[in-house]
Amino acid sequence: MTETRWLNEVTWDDQGLVPVIAQDADTGDVLMFAWMNRDALARTVETGEAVYWSRSRRKIWHKGEESGHVQRVREIRLDCDGDVVLLKIEQEGGIACHTGRRSCFFTRLHDGAQWQAVDPVLKDPKDIYK
Amino acid sequence: MTETRWLNEVTWDDQGLVPVIAQDADTGDVLMFAWMNRDALARTVETGEAVYWSRSRRKIWHKGEESGHVQRVREIRLDCDGDVVLLKIEQEGGIACHTGRRSCFFTRLHDGAQWQAVDPVLKDPKDIYK
């Protein structure tokens, strides 16, 4: 039987989810933010690759299943309240974002007044999702 | 009149909130995760220091107001869906967590089976919150 006591120590929200931050294990760049349910977190540990819960599609989502941009998990951390997970990952292909950029956080607030996309598209999404 | 169009470009959830990741601007360490409402994000930009919305206390919370551990904001980023904010900050006192640790993410999953606190307490919380 798989030991799952550690899963009970996560504080799941009223929808059974926990927010997850995916951070590049080497550079420290924050690449992505997503959600997991209990099953997704268990599968993440079992497979060693990030598995999320898609709130829009309402299903388990093995990151990279279409794009090939899987996230190999080097470390899993939990915050002081037990209700946020931090993954330290190696990003296959160097692209985490569905826009073809390295990180989803490519938009910066300029002069406290205007959002600007500041990071480059590394690969055309049309060539990622064929 | 303050220009607030940029605030409308944030995708607020059904409670009017957005999740926020606070990252050390120099080291890249993820220090904290919290929430902001529209007012908190506006005040963060106005003051240059992180202002959050406390979901448990249901009020605006200027981080460091009690502890002195304010977060000076160097950069604000938004993710590709516009529904997650990333702050790059300088952490006053080097302590973001209410436990007296540098980061709230001091608990690591060991052998895929056990959560372990792995980072040291830098200051006794009794000496922080007097």
Side-chain angles (χ1 to χ4, degrees):
Chain A
M1 202 186 107
T2 310
E3 174 57 76
T4 56
R5 200 164 32 185
W6 64 278
L7 283 166
N8 299 335
E9 291 172 41
V10 176
T11 305
W12 306 96
D13 73 8
D14 54 9
Q15 294 172 78
L17 302 178
V18 69
V20 181
I21 303 160
Q23 179 182 34
D24 187 297
D26 291 316
T27 66
D29 290 340
V30 175
L31 300 182
M32 223 180 87
F33 175 91
W35 297 81
M36 287 184 184
N37 62 6
R38 191 181 165 97
D39 186 29
L41 183 52
R43 289 203 208 180
T44 295
V45 168
E46 281 161 27
T47 63
E49 294 184 349
V51 176
Y52 298 106
W53 172 255
S54 168
R55 294 189 305 168
S56 55
R57 291 175 286 161
R58 300 197 61 74
K59 64 169 193 173
I60 286 280
W61 158 50
H62 184 160
K63 166 73 181 167
E65 60 194 4
E66 281 186 67
S67 63
H69 296 154
V70 298
Q71 298 178 330
R72 280 180 293 277
V73 177
R74 212 189 278 172
E75 194 175 304
I76 301 181
R77 289 194 173 226
L78 192 63
D79 82 339
C80 50
D81 297 323
D83 62 359
V84 185
V85 167
L86 174 66
L87 299 183
K88 302 204 180 185
I89 58 138
E90 295 160 29
Q91 178 61 60
E92 177 65 31
I95 295 175
C97 186
H98 74 289
T99 65
R101 292 177 176 90
R102 172 166 175 66
S103 163
C104 294
F105 295 90
F106 58 83
T107 302
R108 188 168 61 192
L109 188 63
H110 178 70
D111 278 350
Q114 199 176 5
W115 296 107
Q116 295 183 337
V118 293
D119 298 328
V121 173
L122 301 177
K123 191 170 180 181
D124 190 323
K126 287 201 297 289
D127 297 326
I128 299 175
Y129 303 95
K130 285 185 257 206
Chain B
M1 201 185 107
T2 310
E3 174 58 76
T4 56
R5 200 164 31 185
W6 64 277
L7 284 167
N8 299 336
E9 291 173 40
V10 176
T11 305
W12 306 96
D13 73 9
D14 55 7
Q15 294 173 77
L17 303 178
V18 70
V20 181
I21 302 160
Q23 179 182 34
D24 188 295
D26 290 317
T27 65
D29 290 340
V30 175
L31 300 182
M32 223 179 85
F33 175 92
W35 297 81
M36 287 185 184
N37 62 7
R38 191 181 165 97
D39 186 30
L41 182 52
R43 290 204 208 180
T44 295
V45 168
E46 282 160 26
T47 63
E49 293 184 349
V51 176
Y52 299 105
W53 171 257
S54 169
R55 295 190 304 169
S56 55
R57 291 175 287 162
R58 300 197 60 74
K59 65 169 194 173
I60 286 281
W61 158 49
H62 184 161
K63 166 73 181 167
E65 61 193 4
E66 282 185 69
S67 62
H69 296 153
V70 298
Q71 299 178 331
R72 280 179 294 279
V73 177
R74 212 189 277 174
E75 193 174 305
I76 302 181
R77 291 195 171 224
L78 192 63
D79 82 339
C80 50
D81 297 322
D83 62 358
V84 185
V85 167
L86 174 66
L87 299 183
K88 301 201 181 188
I89 59 139
E90 295 162 29
Q91 178 60 61
E92 177 65 32
I95 295 175
C97 186
H98 75 287
T99 64
R101 292 177 175 89
R102 171 164 177 64
S103 163
C104 294
F105 295 91
F106 58 83
T107 302
R108 189 167 63 191
L109 188 63
H110 179 69
D111 278 351
Q114 199 176 6
W115 296 108
Q116 295 182 338
V118 292
D119 298 330
V121 173
L122 301 177
K123 191 171 178 179
D124 190 323
K126 287 201 300 286
D127 298 325
I128 300 175
Y129 303 96
K130 282 185 259 205

